[in-house]
Amino acid sequence: MKQVDSRPMQMTRRQLLLGGGVLAGSLTLGASLTGCGGAAQAAGNDIRFWHLLSGGDGIKMMAMIDKVNADHPDYRVKPTVLAWGAPYYTKLAMASAGGRPPEVAVMHAARVPGYAPGGLLDAWDLDLLAEFGVRPEDFGPRIWEKSQFNGQVFSLALDSHPFVMLYNTEVADKAGVLGKDGRLAEISSPSQFLEVSRELQRVTGKHGLSYGYLGDGAQMWRLFYTLYRQHGADFVLEPGRPAQVERDVAIDCLEFITSLLDNTISTKSGDGGTAIAEFAGSGSGLLFTGVWELPTMKTAGVPFGASTIPTLFGTPAAFADSHSFVLPHQARLDETKRRGVYQFVASMLKGSLSWAEAGHIPAYQPVVKSKEYAALKPQADYAQAADIINYDPVAWFTGSGSDFQGYFAENVQNVFLGRDKAADGWDAFMKRINTVLAMPNPV
Amino acid sequence: MSTARTTAPPAKPAPAVKPAPAAKSLRSRRDNLHGWAFSAPFLAFFLMFLVWPMISGAVMSLTGKSLTGANSGFIGLANYSEAFADSDMWRSLGNTLYFTLISTVPLVVIALALAALVNMGLPAQWLWRLSFFSPFLLASTVVSLFFAWMYNPELGLFNDMLANLGIPPVAWLNDPAVAMWAVVIATVWWTIGFNFLLYLAALQNIPQQHYEAASLDGAGGWRQFFSISLPQLGPTTVMIVILQILASLKVFDQIYQMTEGGPGGATRSIVQYIFEAGFTGYRLGYSAAISYIFFGLILLIALAQVFITRKRSA
């Protein structure tokens, strides 16, 4: 500073400083640009809300949020939508572990065992919830049981979304399998199911059943687990011990599914999109799918009804998961904001009738018992599914969009395609699961 | 994280001001000080973003550290012994080596062929140069999307072309036997331009007199190529091969975007496995251990490179 000479060095130093300044400036700018969703942006009365609902669900969710925001101007819920599956869950875990999570988020209830024990989530305070008019008895028993972990409530279910069966009423009528009440006549055995499917196939001339699974582990698992649980068989995963499953039952289920994929009843190699298009075009009489496809079918204008997957093996059971509200663990808890979160979630639960329009069964019983819901067709026809739902086996690596369903696909897809024996596919899957169970538990 | 290299070829860390090997005078000490001052910004970044992460990663690999913060104690080499017994780790490593093998060969051979063609003096040389190089400028996401569409079994360009030739459709990204090749085809198209450019520059550096002398001696085009061009390209080839192997070993982007490692793990690379073990599987310690095993492999290859180039220059 004090020496003023004209050596070339001076210039260089100045350039260096200038360059350094530019560099530092651009770094700060870059950091602030990439820091969106970070603590820096959670100004004032904003409540950050992460969810994974896109498409029709996403539009419904946005409308519900807008309504809550309009009713409660004292805070503003700002949603961030992230891609469903691994990317979402990875980001949520990272944000919680890093101490900058959103104030509230949606998770699949079956994923909570991977988050709650590690301290990534805070438990819900039932007293505070009651203050906003939400009580334990407002939820069905299976859903309420699932919301707890180690005696604390970690997730509040907005819905349950089971794996169900849609049927084309016109095709079913022609095939003579429609009951007098306009609903599909009851099917109660595997052979009867094959029979009905073949009847339907004769009417459509294409397939009796649409079931897309190719490259989609979740879709394979949903049907398998529904049928497995219909046998009354347990599926227990306990870290440090091999999985406790009924191998014969599992192989039975895989063989039954494979017998459906005979290119007559159903195509051997259908993916999700093809199955939906086929059913929507009346190319089949039945569709195995999640309830969330309901709006698609309504838009397509195909005449259809919905029911749970028929009880073929004695015990009524349906695979399901729930979109649940969770409180990601806050490093510094803002009490007033948390009250806002409780109010927001309570309002969402109470307003979940519009969520039911997307096909999901609301978890909040006062809505399910309302007249408006009873008038909602065909949703009301499968509302009883909530009493027979089965979530994924509990473990840190299971749940919707988890590696578990990926392992299932890796080993079972070739069974469905008729390339591997059911027993081989199952044993390979179990080997993989047992390896994961033998690993040190990371949560 | 991909076979695309964004830095200049043998990107040695910026040639920091080296103190002259002068006598230990006051002057040289001051020069020394200036040197350090000038390299300080780089050194700071080097320490912060390379040296420190490497040390902390090595330490992490000896712990059970998890994303959720549970069971994070020191567990010695347990992660390493688990990794060596993990069939998925070996499979991913095998996939990576397989990808490296089947991508490096075409990426070197085709690049050389393209460079030789362009160097032959085709008209509109700039156009060829541009066409071969321009895919390299695309982001991996763009390339993956292009190819995922072209590989689409129902609507894709490739199956449409095959159908016109009367060949049955191929499930490009869904058949475990084909998927890796599909990724390699996309990768070659995408990154060939870089090797092509290196070869072209090297070809243009070969003195014209060599060819003139050879043609006076009656050597034809092929003879000249094999006896002059190829030997002269030796050092470039070694460099390209080494760079290509290192780049291919790091493959992740295009696989993750095109197949997510599927079908059934047939294209899962080791880098993806490291990512999954750490971030979807929560096990940061374990994933650090795998990344150090992978690091060891890369180190071996780098040492082999040093050995080969030393031998050549000796």
Side-chain angles (χ1 to χ4, degrees):
Chain A
M1 272 296 185
K2 54 188 174 184
Q3 68 184 111
V4 185
D5 59 9
S6 55
R7 282 184 305 164
M9 187 67 197
Q10 184 82 11
M11 280 302 290
T12 328
R13 197 185 300 153
R14 213 170 259 164
Q15 278 169 349
L16 179 78
L17 287 175
L18 181 69
V22 169
L23 184 70
S26 60
L27 280 174
T28 335
L29 186 68
S32 64
L33 282 179
T34 52
C36 44
Q41 303 227 329
N45 51 0
D46 281 354
I47 290 176
R48 291 164 305 160
F49 171 44
W50 284 13
H51 68 80
L52 39 58
L53 301 152
S54 54
D57 282 357
I59 295 168
K60 271 262 153 10
M61 177 55 79
M62 195 64 228
M64 288 168 71
I65 295 169
D66 285 345
K67 187 168 180 306
V68 175
N69 275 338
D71 292 350
H72 302 280
D74 41 328
Y75 57 82
R76 223 174 75 83
V77 175
K78 288 178 88 173
T80 302
V81 190
L82 297 158
W84 188 92
Y88 178 78
Y89 284 109
T90 307
K91 287 192 182 79
L92 190 61
M94 295 281 289
S96 301
R100 302 204 314 180
E103 275 78 31
V104 57
V106 161
M107 272 183 76
H108 285 97
R111 292 297 299 255
V112 172
Y115 283 69
L120 294 180
L121 301 177
D122 289 339
W124 289 91
D125 176 352
L126 295 186
D127 294 336
L128 192 53
L129 267 179
E131 218 176 288
F132 291 103
V134 175
R135 295 152 307 155
E137 54 269 32
D138 292 333
F139 297 87
R142 290 211 181 189
I143 292 178
W144 186 249
E145 189 196 326
K146 187 67 193 171
S147 67
Q148 309 192 33
F149 198 88
N150 281 344
Q152 281 184 299
V153 174
F154 278 101
S155 64
L156 280 181
L158 172 65
D159 65 25
S160 61
H161 45 277
F163 194 61
V164 295
M165 184 173 81
L166 307 186
Y167 51 90
N168 184 316
T169 43
E170 225 171 79
V171 174
D173 195 18
K174 275 186 205 154
V177 294
L178 206 60
K180 284 196 185 98
D181 56 354
R183 299 175 61 181
L184 196 71
E186 196 187 328
I187 302 172
S188 54
S189 75
S191 56
Q192 195 190 354
F193 186 82
L194 296 179
E195 222 169 275
V196 170
S197 309
R198 291 201 185 100
E199 289 293 336
L200 293 166
Q201 192 271 335
R202 268 176 226 126
V203 174
T204 64
K206 289 179 184 165
H207 292 121
L209 161 76
S210 296
Y211 170 54
Y213 69 91
L214 217 54
D216 186 349
Q219 193 74 354
M220 294 182 223
W221 171 252
R222 288 170 189 142
L223 179 58
F224 167 80
Y225 199 54
T226 299
L227 299 177
Y228 181 85
R229 293 292 291 166
Q230 286 192 355
H231 283 82
D234 284 329
F235 200 120
V236 182
L237 301 173
E238 218 176 291
R241 298 181 56 185
Q244 297 153 56
V245 293
E246 292 190 33
R247 182 171 178 270
D248 297 343
V249 171
I251 292 171
D252 235 32
C253 295
L254 292 179
E255 280 172 350
F256 175 69
I257 296 170
T258 313
S259 75
L260 297 175
L261 308 173
D262 64 352
N263 279 338
T264 308
I265 292 177
S266 179
T267 174
K268 184 170 262 184
S269 52
D271 61 31
T274 317
I276 285 162
E278 185 177 64
F279 184 79
S282 294
S284 68
L286 303 173
L287 172 69
F288 286 161
T289 184
V291 290
W292 52 90
E293 294 297 351
L294 224 64
T296 316
M297 291 308 154
K298 286 207 158 164
T299 315
V302 55
F304 74 100
S307 75
T308 53
I309 293 200
T311 306
L312 305 179
F313 302 101
T315 313
F319 166 87
D321 210 332
S322 291
H323 296 124
S324 301
F325 293 104
V326 294
L327 300 169
H329 176 65
Q330 304 289 330
R332 279 185 312 260
L333 183 61
D334 179 338
E335 287 294 344
T336 46
K337 226 175 231 189
R338 185 143 280 187
R339 278 188 73 85
V341 168
Y342 274 70
Q343 179 160 64
F344 162 66
V345 170
S347 311
M348 293 292 276
L349 292 176
K350 290 172 187 167
S352 55
L353 182 68
S354 74
W355 190 238
E357 286 163 15
H360 312 281
I361 306 172
Y364 190 65
Q365 289 303 303
V367 169
V368 179
K369 288 179 181 140
S370 69
K371 272 192 217 124
E372 292 89 340
Y373 184 76
L376 213 56
K377 294 282 176 184
Q379 281 90 331
D381 290 342
Y382 57 77
Q384 79 285 1
D387 303 327
I388 58 164
I389 54 175
N390 286 273
Y391 293 94
D392 264 15
V394 176
W396 62 268
F397 54 88
T398 59
S400 294
S402 64
D403 291 345
F404 179 74
Q405 297 180 344
Y407 301 144
F408 191 69
E410 280 179 30
N411 296 293
V412 164
Q413 176 159 308
N414 274 343
V415 176
F416 284 15
L417 283 168
R419 292 179 190 161
D420 282 353
K421 281 205 197 98
D424 295 346
W426 179 256
D427 290 343
F429 174 55
M430 274 300 116
K431 186 166 167 255
R432 181 71 212 153
I433 295 306
N434 288 336
T435 310
V436 180
L437 285 171
M439 286 178 183
N441 184 350
V443 295
Chain B
M1 292 296 249
S2 72
T3 61
R5 292 170 301 250
T6 41
T7 45
K12 293 280 178 290
V17 183
K18 272 212 169 160
K24 287 171 191 163
S25 67
L26 193 72
R27 165 105 202 173
S28 88
R29 206 174 296 159
R30 218 175 63 188
D31 278 357
N32 238 327
L33 217 64
H34 282 146
W36 283 109
F38 274 101
S39 27
F42 167 75
L43 267 180
F45 277 88
F46 180 70
L47 289 173
M48 252 193 314
F49 293 110
L50 206 72
V51 177
W52 171 242
M54 276 182 68
I55 295 171
S56 105
V59 172
M60 198 190 281
S61 74
L62 303 174
T63 69
K65 190 171 171 62
S66 135
L67 196 64
T68 63
N71 307 327
S72 290
F74 181 80
I75 53 167
L77 295 173
N79 280 330
Y80 288 92
S81 57
E82 186 186 333
F84 283 119
D86 180 349
S87 60
D88 272 19
M89 200 276 295
W90 288 112
R91 187 163 178 223
S92 312
L93 202 56
N95 286 341
T96 304
L97 295 176
Y98 180 56
F99 174 85
T100 303
L101 180 73
I102 64 176
S103 67
T104 300
V105 173
L107 276 167
V108 173
V109 175
I110 299 177
L112 175 60
L114 293 180
L117 271 177
V118 169
N119 198 45
M120 267 166 56
L122 294 175
Q125 209 197 65
W126 66 271
L127 182 66
W128 296 102
R129 228 166 33 209
L130 180 70
S131 338
F132 294 148
F133 186 73
S134 54
F136 184 69
L137 302 174
L138 297 175
S140 70
T141 38
V142 176
V143 175
S144 304
L145 272 178
F146 277 177
F147 274 85
W149 271 111
M150 291 196 284
Y151 285 137
N152 185 303
E154 311 289 331
L155 315 162
L157 175 75
F158 288 116
N159 275 358
D160 193 50
M161 276 161 46
L162 291 183
N164 288 338
L165 297 172
I167 301 172
V170 176
W172 291 99
L173 296 173
N174 291 315
D175 184 338
V178 184
M180 192 62 99
W181 288 95
V183 173
V184 167
I185 292 171
T187 308
V188 169
W189 179 84
W190 177 31
T191 59
I192 191 104
F194 187 79
N195 294 348
F196 157 78
L197 218 59
L198 290 183
Y199 263 132
L200 189 63
L203 275 173
Q204 288 170 348
N205 265 343
I206 300 173
Q208 206 51 42
Q209 300 95 298
H210 292 198
Y211 295 104
E212 283 163 15
S215 55
L216 281 180
D217 288 342
W222 287 107
R223 184 81 240 164
Q224 288 181 16
F225 180 75
F226 283 108
S227 299
I228 298 173
S229 307
L230 265 194
Q232 292 278 331
L233 289 176
T236 309
T237 303
V238 171
M239 182 183 77
I240 289 180
V241 169
I242 299 284
L243 284 176
Q244 189 54 56
I245 288 175
L246 292 178
S248 285
L249 283 172
K250 290 188 295 182
V251 64
F252 173 76
D253 309 28
Q254 62 270 50
I255 288 183
Y256 189 70
Q257 291 160 50
M258 287 165 72
T259 68
E260 282 189 59
T267 58
R268 185 189 286 124
S269 72
I270 188 76
V271 176
Q272 187 185 342
Y273 191 61
I274 291 169
F275 164 72
E276 285 175 358
F279 293 103
T280 67
Y282 306 149
R283 302 183 61 205
L284 296 178
Y286 184 56
S287 95
I290 303 173
S291 65
Y292 270 84
I293 292 171
F294 183 47
F295 176 67
L297 183 80
I298 292 184
L299 203 64
L300 280 181
I301 293 171
L303 286 177
Q305 172 209 10
V306 171
F307 183 71
I308 292 171
T309 41
R310 275 235 182 102
K311 224 172 145 192
R312 283 187 68 94
S313 54

